[in-house]
Amino acid sequence: MTDKARLDEVLAQLDAGQDDALARLLDFLRIPSVSTDPAYRGDVRKAAEWLQGELQQLGFEARVHDTTGHPMVVAHSPRGNARSLLFYGHYDVQPVDPLELWDRPPFEPELQTGDNGKVIRGRGASDDKGQLMTFVEAFRAWKAVHGSLPTDLILLFEGEEESGSPSLRPFLREHADELRASLAMICDTGLYSDGRPAITTQLRGLVGEEVVIRAADRDLHSGMFGGLAANPIMILAQALGALKDSDGRVTLPGFYDGVNDLDDSLARDWAALGFDATDFLSKVGLSQPIGEKGRTSLEMVWNRPTAEINGIAGGYAGDGFKTVLPAEARAKVSFRLTGKQDSEKIRAAFREHIRAHVPEDCSVEFHEHGGGPASVMDISDPAFALAKQALTDEWEREAAYIGSGGSIPIAGDFKQILDMDSMLIGFGRDDDRIHSPNEKYDVESFQKGARSWARILASLR
Amino acid sequence: MTDKARLDEVLAQLDAGQDDALARLLDFLRIPSVSTDPAYRGDVRKAAEWLQGELQQLGFEARVHDTTGHPMVVAHSPRGNARSLLFYGHYDVQPVDPLELWDRPPFEPELQTGDNGKVIRGRGASDDKGQLMTFVEAFRAWKAVHGSLPTDLILLFEGEEESGSPSLRPFLREHADELRASLAMICDTGLYSDGRPAITTQLRGLVGEEVVIRAADRDLHSGMFGGLAANPIMILAQALGALKDSDGRVTLPGFYDGVNDLDDSLARDWAALGFDATDFLSKVGLSQPIGEKGRTSLEMVWNRPTAEINGIAGGYAGDGFKTVLPAEARAKVSFRLTGKQDSEKIRAAFREHIRAHVPEDCSVEFHEHGGGPASVMDISDPAFALAKQALTDEWEREAAYIGSGGSIPIAGDFKQILDMDSMLIGFGRDDDRIHSPNEKYDVESFQKGARSWARILASLR
């Protein structure tokens, strides 16, 4: 039987198994594997063990490795001599608050009818449980048809991606020989637009920081002390507000070192994508690109670094009013990096900037929340062209090379620690509401995603 | 019997009744009358009714008046022809959070041994239940000795002072004839220093505002949208940070209109107080006056206006990290006013300042949380000299005329609505931790306070 015929059988097998595949995904989504909240520690492990069970059924030799944080799931197909591929995904999910904005309990997923056909609604449906199950299902169908798995598959599923991956780099170093493959496939990205597949060839890096400013040793009456004593919220507001100038540029010294403008060919490709920022923003109730002056909207999200305040808290913010000078104020800040920006230099510059705003009699404390450089892929590897063709065949639309504003530090870690290139292919959509209430994943993404992986396996094995 | 002898009897009666008086205060403190939190609505009323009961026992004709908010307690002594005095206090208290910083349940008060003798520990001990009970106990002793109350006493106890007194002004207008007296006595202030009594002759005014900035209609992934979409926390930080310049001056246009420098005599008196800012701040773990450049520390808190951020919240501030662009951010801001600053003009200037920072596709919402002008008393009224002497006699130290950085809008309201001057006398201390965890009131303040009122009544009736 020809490879073509074999592939058609695998695709038919995937179509026949759709309902079972969806049922398995819903089971997986019912596990509240929130890695940032210690209260869910047991559930994170449960999700890891659920995956281990699935993979063992497929003939993988699958293990749950303990770390100082959440477990790593590593699985191997029986070794052969073909090109080895590592597939990476993460089984942890974001917190669900604000819970009251969810239409249904976030960990009681269900199939719903959305604007573009059926969707899977629930935390993790898109980021990343639904996405990683696309290649698990592809392997399942492959095994059913071929009786064996494509050789030299390595699977790595992480449980700390949403909390800065503290254990990942040590784990990669410790298991380098076991994990090194000729190419890593990462499934944490999206379609360029509905129905248009894409390979993400550059990702922004990330620096995550938490800052706590402490002033008086207790909350103070703003009448008795206001105007005389330090107010940590005002100190924090002034320090954070000064992170960006009126042109939307980050003011930290040296921040733009290593940031590169687009090369002409990619600039042309991106221009050809016809990205409409107003339309993109209108989907979330906005209309104006608020970014660096003189940059296109795609540059703002894909090729320019930024600073964002992700959370802030201090004083009394409940019902009514409390005229207090609080003892402390805190904020969570993240920087998105591009090109060759040095995440640790930027972390240091941020801390220096904050310290410069804090009076002598106040204290400041910093907590690191992950960080990693931007990643730019080498698309001269023939595997990129083969995968691009496989995606074009499945979706019947020309696949695009795109960038991503998001951060998938693992791609940089694979390069640095394992000298392994990555290919980023995923089937999420802009309206998936990842990290937000009512997250969803289109059933079409799930099903065509699995079929796409089957085609890619057939091309790359 | 001479007035002097009568007064001595009243003072002796107060001394003999100390334990009972303390027991009554502890009963009062056990009622969690938090006016800013709707959950305590019933308890606020309970506190009003508790007062009504106490006053009726003393022969007052006492009523609990409903308002659109919390009740007003009004009591009258039998009418006579002497000078009429209105005594004002408030029976509501501040919220107790952060609860974990309390050494004991805030509404289970007890007597403890503090640095300077016994203290009453619990929410409201100083602000304002303990203070208002000083004159209730003075009346009780007076009645016991004289068989009747000093004539023409009017008592007004409010239940909304800690939540901006929304019902107060309408109530004063509606009951103007019933409440108008020749002088109002307000018991919401403090000693100048341990053992040194004071009459507060000027108070800062207040403008309380809450601002909510809304951007996207949901929380956004900061990778997908960061650098392109508006971040309401950054908008808020930049707008609030710009409220003060590097000299500590408020930047709102026209903010300083009506602010006056001290006249020479008061400037001399205040200098003579020998206020030590470093010592004052060291009691709360600070050391540096952070205020307007070129001003003395007493000016900063008593005679200069200021802007403070009392609370801020937005995005994810819980455990871990969430790379989100939040849909909204909010802050509570208050301005302390001096001289003849116009609170409504300042409220309008603040709103204009914020609006100027909010992009077209975002929205901003404001909530008013009270406001009132500063008050400056006319100390040429002979009653001030008489009260000053009475305080000097009781405490055996020269009473001082001082200012207060706090806001007691009622003094301004009495003047505006009832054309009634106020005299502010209280016995609180800087370390009472009002509005903070572990609030306390010294037993000495409670007892000498009641004795002080007995002396003042003897002088002014």
Side-chain angles (χ1 to χ4, degrees), chain A residues 213-222 224-233 235 324-328 358-364, chain B residues 275-291 297 301 308:
Chain A
I213 295 175
R214 295 191 172 84
D217 59 16
R218 72 201 68 169
D219 288 357
L220 304 177
H221 187 296
S222 72
M224 193 177 299
F225 290 88
L228 180 70
N231 181 334
I233 306 179
I235 294 164
V324 69
L325 296 189
E328 69 170 48
V358 177
E360 273 175 26
D361 60 348
C362 299
S363 69
V364 59
Chain B
F275 178 73
D276 180 339
T278 307
D279 175 64
F280 178 72
L281 289 169
S282 70
K283 294 182 180 134
V284 296
L286 294 171
S287 62
Q288 299 182 327
I290 309 283
S297 295
V301 282
E308 299 292 350

Side-chain angles (χ1 to χ4, degrees), chain A residues 55-77:
Chain A
L55 298 173
Q56 285 170 337
Q57 286 177 29
L58 301 186
F60 282 91
E61 174 202 310
R63 277 189 57 197
V64 173
H65 294 263
D66 285 323
T67 71
T68 54
H70 298 298
M72 297 281 181
V73 179
V74 178
H76 293 274
S77 61

Side-chain angles (χ1 to χ4, degrees), chain A residues 117-421:
Chain A
K118 285 222 174 292
V119 302
I120 304 139
R121 179 89 58 193
R123 172 57 87 222
S126 176
D127 181 18
D128 182 47
K129 288 174 173 174
Q131 299 249 60
L132 75 84
M133 287 302 285
T134 57
F135 51 63
V136 172
E137 295 302 338
F139 300 147
R140 189 188 312 276
W142 188 280
K143 175 117 188 299
V145 171
H146 293 76
S148 70
L149 291 162
T151 55
D152 281 19
L153 295 178
I154 307 169
L155 274 50
L156 173 62
F157 296 132
E158 178 191 5
E160 296 177 333
E161 199 271 347
E162 302 294 7
S163 50
S165 300
S167 309
L168 185 66
R169 293 169 63 86
F171 189 84
L172 294 182
R173 286 196 199 88
E174 196 181 330
H175 299 79
D177 297 340
E178 180 183 357
L179 296 173
R180 191 173 290 108
S182 50
L183 186 66
M185 313 297 282
I186 299 176
C187 67
D188 207 3
T189 56
L191 300 169
Y192 169 67
S193 59
D194 280 349
R196 179 148 188 203
I199 300 176
T200 302
T201 67
Q202 64 180 57
L203 294 162
R204 290 197 292 191
L206 178 73
V207 171
E209 281 279 286
E210 180 170 8
V211 54
V212 185
I213 295 175
R214 295 191 172 84
D217 59 16
R218 72 201 68 169
D219 288 357
L220 304 177
H221 187 296
S222 72
M224 193 177 299
F225 290 88
L228 180 70
N231 181 334
I233 306 179
M234 179 60 82
I235 294 164
L236 191 61
Q238 293 192 320
L240 296 180
L243 280 174
K244 280 190 179 180
D245 66 19
S246 56
D247 290 336
R249 284 176 64 87
V250 176
T251 57
L252 297 179
F255 183 76
Y256 290 93
D257 295 351
V259 176
N260 306 316
D261 284 342
L262 283 179
D263 68 44
D264 296 347
S265 96
L266 213 47
R268 271 192 306 274
D269 290 359
W270 288 8
L273 291 172
F275 178 73
D276 180 338
T278 307
D279 175 63
F280 178 72
L281 289 169
S282 70
K283 294 181 182 138
V284 296
L286 294 172
S287 62
Q288 298 182 328
I290 309 283
E292 247 186 294
K293 286 214 171 61
R295 298 290 173 176
T296 69
S297 295
L298 276 189
E299 278 184 289
M300 290 178 190
V301 282
W302 289 352
N303 204 52
R304 298 300 298 175
T306 186
E308 299 292 350
I309 309 169
N310 305 111
I312 193 165
Y316 182 76
D319 283 347
F321 203 88
K322 191 170 173 182
T323 52
V324 69
L325 296 189
E328 69 170 48
R330 57 180 62 229
K332 296 175 198 262
V333 177
S334 61
F335 297 88
R336 298 285 175 174
L337 312 182
T338 64
K340 300 196 177 314
Q341 279 179 297
D342 181 325
S343 58
E344 291 318 302
K345 275 188 185 162
I346 284 164
R347 188 188 306 281
F350 169 71
R351 292 181 176 190
E352 195 41 53
H353 169 86
I354 296 292
R355 286 196 188 94
H357 283 79
V358 177
E360 273 175 26
D361 60 348
C362 299
S363 69
V364 59
E365 180 181 301
F366 296 96
H367 300 280
E368 178 173 339
H369 286 283
S375 298
V376 181
M377 310 309 164
D378 169 18
I379 60 181
S380 67
D381 176 342
F384 278 80
L386 289 168
K388 193 163 185 272
Q389 187 57 51
L391 289 170
T392 303
D393 294 344
E394 173 61 30
W395 294 80
E396 296 169 319
R397 285 188 64 185
E398 178 67 22
Y401 286 143
I402 62 174
S404 167
S407 305
I408 307 183
I410 181 107
D413 296 333
F414 282 160
K415 186 68 184 176
Q416 283 173 36
I417 298 169
L418 305 179
D419 189 30
M420 176 167 61
D421 288 321

Side-chain angles (χ1 to χ4, degrees), chain B residues 132-436:
Chain B
L132 75 84
M133 288 302 286
T134 56
F135 51 65
V136 172
E137 295 303 338
F139 300 148
R140 189 189 311 276
W142 189 281
K143 176 120 189 301
V145 169
H146 292 77
S148 71
L149 291 162
T151 55
D152 281 20
L153 296 179
I154 307 169
L155 275 49
L156 172 62
F157 296 132
E158 178 191 6
E160 296 177 333
E161 199 271 347
E162 302 295 5
S163 50
S165 300
S167 309
L168 184 67
R169 294 170 62 88
F171 189 85
L172 293 182
R173 286 195 198 87
E174 196 181 329
H175 299 79
D177 295 341
E178 180 182 358
L179 296 173
R180 192 174 288 107
S182 51
L183 186 65
M185 314 296 282
I186 300 175
C187 67
D188 207 2
T189 56
L191 299 170
Y192 169 67
S193 60
D194 280 348
R196 179 148 188 204
I199 300 177
T200 302
T201 67
Q202 63 180 58
L203 295 162
R204 289 197 292 191
L206 179 74
V207 172
E209 281 279 286
E210 182 170 7
V211 53
V212 185
I213 295 175
R214 294 190 173 86
D217 58 15
R218 72 200 67 168
D219 288 356
L220 304 177
H221 187 296
S222 72
M224 192 177 299
F225 290 88
L228 181 70
N231 181 335
I233 306 179
M234 180 59 82
I235 294 165
L236 191 61
Q238 293 192 318
L240 296 180
L243 279 174
K244 280 190 179 180
D245 66 20
S246 56
D247 291 337
R249 285 177 62 88
V250 177
T251 57
L252 297 179
F255 182 76
Y256 290 93
D257 295 352
V259 176
N260 306 316
D261 284 341
L262 283 179
D263 67 44
D264 296 346
S265 96
L266 213 48
R268 271 193 305 275
D269 291 358
W270 287 8
L273 291 171
F275 178 73
D276 180 339
T278 307
D279 175 64
F280 178 72
L281 289 169
S282 70
K283 294 182 180 134
V284 296
L286 294 171
S287 62
Q288 299 182 327
I290 309 283
E292 249 185 293
K293 286 214 170 60
R295 299 289 174 177
T296 68
S297 295
L298 275 189
E299 279 185 286
M300 290 179 190
V301 282
W302 289 353
N303 204 52
R304 298 300 298 175
T306 186
E308 299 292 350
I309 309 169
N310 304 110
I312 193 165
Y316 182 75
D319 283 345
F321 203 90
K322 190 170 175 183
T323 52
V324 69
L325 295 189
E328 70 170 47
R330 58 181 60 230
K332 295 174 198 266
V333 177
S334 61
F335 298 88
R336 298 284 175 176
L337 312 183
T338 64
K340 300 195 180 311
Q341 281 179 295
D342 182 324
S343 58
E344 292 318 302
K345 275 188 186 162
I346 284 165
R347 188 188 305 282
F350 169 72
R351 293 181 175 190
E352 193 42 52
H353 168 86
I354 296 291
R355 285 194 190 94
H357 283 79
V358 177
E360 275 176 24
D361 60 348
C362 299
S363 69
V364 58
E365 180 182 300
F366 296 96
H367 300 279
E368 177 172 338
H369 286 283
S375 298
V376 180
M377 311 308 165
D378 170 17
I379 60 180
S380 68
D381 177 341
F384 278 80
L386 289 167
K388 194 162 184 274
Q389 187 57 52
L391 289 169
T392 302
D393 294 344
E394 173 60 28
W395 294 79
E396 296 169 321
R397 285 188 65 186
E398 178 67 23
Y401 286 143
I402 63 173
S404 166
S407 305
I408 308 182
I410 180 104
D413 296 334
F414 282 159
K415 186 67 183 175
Q416 285 173 36
I417 297 169
L418 305 178
D419 190 29
M420 177 166 60
D421 287 322
S422 297
M423 186 183 298
L424 296 119
I425 297 174
F427 309 96
R429 297 172 195 239
D430 292 345
D431 65 353
D432 279 354
R433 295 173 171 254
I434 66 173
H435 292 212
S436 299

